[in-house]
Amino acid sequence: MEISRPALRHNVAAFRERLTAANGQELVAVVKANAYGHGVATVVEAVDDLVDRYQIDDIEELRELRPLTSKPIHVYGYVAKADLGEAVELGGIMSLYDPDRIEFLGKLGIPCRIHVKFDALLGREGVTPEELPDVIAAIPKYPSISVEQVYAHFANLEDTTDLVHAEAQAGVYRSMLAEMRQAFGKASGNLAATSGILAMPDTVNQTSVRLGIGLYGLYPSAAMARSCSELSLRPALRWVTHLGQVKVLPAGHPVGYGLTYRALRDMKVGMVPLGYSDGVDRGLSNVGEVLVHGILCPMIGRVAMNMFAIDLSSVPEASSEDEVVLLGEQGSQRISAEEVAAQLGTISYEVISRINSRLPRRLV
Ligand SMILES: *Cc1c(COP(=O)(O)O)cnc(C)c1O
């Protein structure tokens, strides 16, 4: 996997321009899920000097990221109570999403910075408006806990251009923030992920923004790709392998498990040495395409655990060891994560984040 340093740096710069320097917002790079499949060490190496903080999801990611950077790290997801002490000692800024955890964190007796996660009309982990008074009452009992920020997350900016729900969420967030300020003085907060930065510019006026998918050069939705094209985001990932074998199968010969494809004629086929265990979704069987010599070649037969076959009829010169591109550019052609996501009925986030972390990442 080739990860483009210039593309990552261009994307950070493009988003920086959207932040009004006067407000001094911090840019939090979201590098959970192995930096959306790009490789956390690779991405940190490329952008560490450009970002202010990082966000990851869990204790395993914190253990991996901590030695790679001196910047603050937020742990936003679930951490087992048994691991909270370690997480705090590693300097993780913990998300407080459940009132039940305050006592547990407090009794650790280790100084601990928290971000209170509001469930402002999202319906995931987080403190609801109804629970907030309990949280406000409980935190001061534990002097080791300091509230650094609060935050909320938008529910449907990727799915619609109708901002009614997002505005309602921002309203709930603001009133919860006001309650926190009343209780704790200068509590500050943040609300925007990539889609918020693009679709709800006002929310950028907070203490920080959380940049995930945009960092990697992808737009949260097709509508935003159109409406925000002036950002000229550059996809940072190129997924490359090589033809393991090239051969001619006689007409009628089956290809792969389940006999779901038969050679239409004497047919030149290539074996690609990646499969669903590597993150090539089995749903791409007889559906997906790859690039060989800059030409789109259909995937034929079923994707297996470690390999799949392609039709090389359009590339007579192809031979074993030639480069195969699953995502990214080759010659003048390009396969985007969005296109693959559309073939699979999912979103680009899933396509990239599921690429097996075992595959080597190389910064180019
Ligand atoms: C994953 C995540 C983000 C990043 O979202 P993008 O759409 O990738 O920018 C931000 N905030 C929270 C809470 C998240 O879980």
Side-chain angles (χ1 to χ4, degrees):
M1 312 217 17
E2 297 175 358
I3 310 300
S4 164
R5 182 198 301 263
L8 289 169
R9 296 181 72 85
H10 163 85
N11 298 333
V12 173
F15 280 94
R16 277 277 186 208
E17 266 180 43
R18 296 247 160 167
L19 308 182
T20 37
N23 282 320
Q25 300 101 326
E26 295 199 318
L27 194 147
V28 182
V30 181
V31 294
K32 64 193 177 196
N34 198 28
Y36 289 43
H38 291 61
V40 71
T42 316
V43 170
V44 170
E45 186 184 337
V47 301
D48 196 51
D49 60 323
L50 299 184
V51 306
D52 299 303
R53 295 167 175 247
Y54 292 98
Q55 183 210 311
I56 40 97
D57 184 63
D58 64 20
I59 183 76
E60 298 291 344
E61 293 177 336
L62 178 60
R63 288 180 189 132
E64 184 180 8
L65 177 56
R66 183 71 286 172
L68 301 175
T69 180
S70 56
K71 305 257 160 106
I73 303 174
H74 300 269
V75 186
Y76 273 5
Y78 166 78
V79 173
K81 286 181 176 171
D83 292 325
L84 276 177
E86 181 191 349
V88 173
E89 273 173 346
L90 286 172
I93 300 167
M94 307 307 291
S95 194
L96 182 86
Y97 52 82
D98 186 346
D100 168 50
R101 306 207 126 207
I102 299 172
E103 184 183 351
F104 197 86
L105 269 176
K107 286 190 171 159
L108 290 173
I110 317 168
C112 169
R113 290 186 285 168
I114 60 170
H115 279 208
V116 179
K117 182 174 201 167
F118 294 161
D119 184 359
L121 301 176
L122 174 60
R124 297 200 316 194
E125 274 178 353
V127 174
T128 60
E130 294 70 28
E131 290 168 326
L132 190 58
D134 287 346
V135 168
I136 288 174
I139 288 174
K141 293 184 197 155
Y142 303 98
S144 59
I145 300 180
S146 57
V147 177
E148 189 179 76
Q149 281 189 43
V150 301
Y151 72 102
H153 196 43
F154 287 114
N156 67 340
L157 290 176
E158 293 82 1
D159 302 309
T160 176
T161 49
D162 174 352
L163 299 180
V164 169
H165 189 76
E167 305 277 12
Q169 288 191 269
V172 172
Y173 162 81
R174 289 199 178 95
S175 77
M176 292 177 81
L177 175 61
E179 280 183 64
M180 289 292 288
R181 282 203 172 130
Q182 230 175 7
F184 298 105
K186 59 171 186 35
S188 64
N190 68 90
L191 190 51
T194 304
S195 58
I197 303 172
L198 299 179
M200 300 278 287
D202 284 355
T203 67
V204 168
N205 254 342
Q206 307 283 323
T207 314
S208 56
V209 297
R210 310 185 302 265
L211 182 64
I213 198 83
L215 167 62
Y216 307 102
L218 301 174
Y219 295 86
S221 68
M224 285 183 198
R226 285 190 295 274
S227 61
C228 306
S229 61
E230 75 282 359
L231 281 172
S232 301
L233 296 184
R234 291 168 55 189
L237 179 156
R238 200 164 164 267
W239 190 1
V240 179
T241 185
H242 296 87
L243 286 171
Q245 187 186 8
V246 174
K247 61 183 169 188
V248 176
L249 291 179
H253 198 288
V255 176
Y257 288 132
L259 318 179
T260 63
Y261 187 91
R262 283 180 190 275
L264 304 172
R265 53 192 169 269
D266 289 356
M267 196 169 172
K268 182 163 182 163
V269 300
M271 297 301 151
V272 181
L274 288 172
Y276 56 76
S277 69
D278 300 295
V280 181
D281 197 287
R282 193 164 170 275
L284 292 173
S285 300
N286 291 306
V287 171
E289 290 170 313
V290 298
L291 289 167
V292 179
H293 289 233
I295 293 166
L296 283 168
C297 300
M299 292 162 66
I300 54 176
R302 281 203 187 136
V303 175
M305 190 180 287
N306 301 105
M307 72 182 87
F308 62 90
I310 57 174
D311 174 2
L312 285 173
S313 306
S314 316
V315 201
E317 67 275 30
S319 65
S320 166
E321 303 283 320
D322 285 356
E323 183 187 80
V324 179
V325 169
L326 288 87
L327 284 175
E329 287 173 7
Q330 192 190 50
S332 58
Q333 288 281 357
R334 196 166 97 78
I335 297 178
S336 70
E338 289 95 337
E339 286 161 348
V340 175
Q343 289 171 327
L344 291 167
T346 184
I347 53 177
S348 61
Y349 293 70
E350 184 177 359
V351 170
I352 55 176
S353 67
R354 292 181 67 194
I355 301 173
N356 194 324
S357 58
R358 198 174 41 76
L359 301 178
R361 270 75 172 166
R362 187 158 57 91
L363 209 50
V364 295

